[in-house]
Amino acid sequence: PFLAPTVLNSKQFEKFYWPSFKTMVDRVEERGDSVYLFVEGESARFADYFKEFKQGTFIVHVEMDDFYEVRKLLPNTCLAGGMPVSLLGGGTRNQCIEEAKRLCDELGDTGYVFSQNKMLAYPNDATRENMLAVQEFVTNYHL
């Protein structure tokens, strides 16, 4: 449900979207459940809102922002994403493994779900070789 907010400015988001979204998330928190947000577009501008919820409430899939900057803004929120689709489709096997290692090393113990940054929707978004190399690396890598 987090596609619409990315096209709203801050004032519109605060007035039209935030009240009902906060009510929904408060109910999720009361039940002890979590919300997985795939935020299409930029998510960093929502960081102050997400900080209102207790740790464990959100998994935020970061698509367009600098992943490491979002980690600084949301140190207690589980993040997903980070692996650039552009690299999976246009990089070398070694470049993909190096980036996967960097993500695991820098974020692996911070509440992180390894994933691509954007949805893979087209055949050229990733090569088979790069996907297999990254999967093998992540499966076998230990912090």
Side-chain angles (χ1 to χ4, degrees):
F2 223 75
L3 174 59
T6 61
V7 297
L8 300 176
N9 67 36
S10 296
K11 204 176 219 183
Q12 293 168 328
F13 174 78
E14 179 107 22
K15 180 177 181 179
F16 297 114
Y17 200 88
W18 178 244
S20 58
F21 183 75
K22 182 171 179 359
T23 298
M24 179 199 70
V25 175
D26 286 341
R27 289 187 182 143
V28 168
E29 273 188 345
E30 288 171 11
R31 291 187 357 213
D33 290 331
S34 298
V35 175
Y36 184 98
L37 291 178
F38 190 109
V39 182
E40 294 194 15
E42 297 175 352
S43 55
R45 66 188 177 111
F46 303 112
D48 287 337
Y49 296 100
F50 295 161
K51 286 179 186 176
E52 288 191 30
F53 302 114
K54 66 182 178 183
Q55 189 171 356
T57 300
F58 278 122
I59 298 173
V60 177
H61 194 117
V62 178
E63 184 183 53
M64 299 293 289
D65 295 289
D66 179 301
F67 205 81
Y68 301 97
E69 289 301 313
V70 174
R71 168 49 64 218
K72 291 176 190 171
L73 293 171
L74 296 170
N76 296 319
T77 301
C78 183
L79 299 181
M83 187 67 195
V85 168
S86 59
L87 198 58
L88 290 169
T92 66
R93 180 182 187 280
N94 286 340
Q95 288 172 321
C96 291
I97 291 171
E98 286 173 19
E99 183 60 21
K101 183 177 184 329
R102 176 179 176 224
L103 286 163
C104 291
D105 287 346
E106 293 188 30
L107 301 165
D109 62 353
T110 66
Y112 172 59
V113 177
F114 185 90
S115 182
Q116 76 284 355
N117 64 336
K118 297 178 184 176
M119 184 171 44
L120 297 169
Y122 301 99
N124 292 332
D125 284 347
T127 67
R128 181 179 187 277
E129 294 78 18
N130 287 349
M131 291 293 289
L132 288 171
V134 169
Q135 185 220 359
E136 182 181 341
F137 171 79
V138 172
T139 300
N140 296 311
Y141 189 66
H142 299 284
L143 294 175

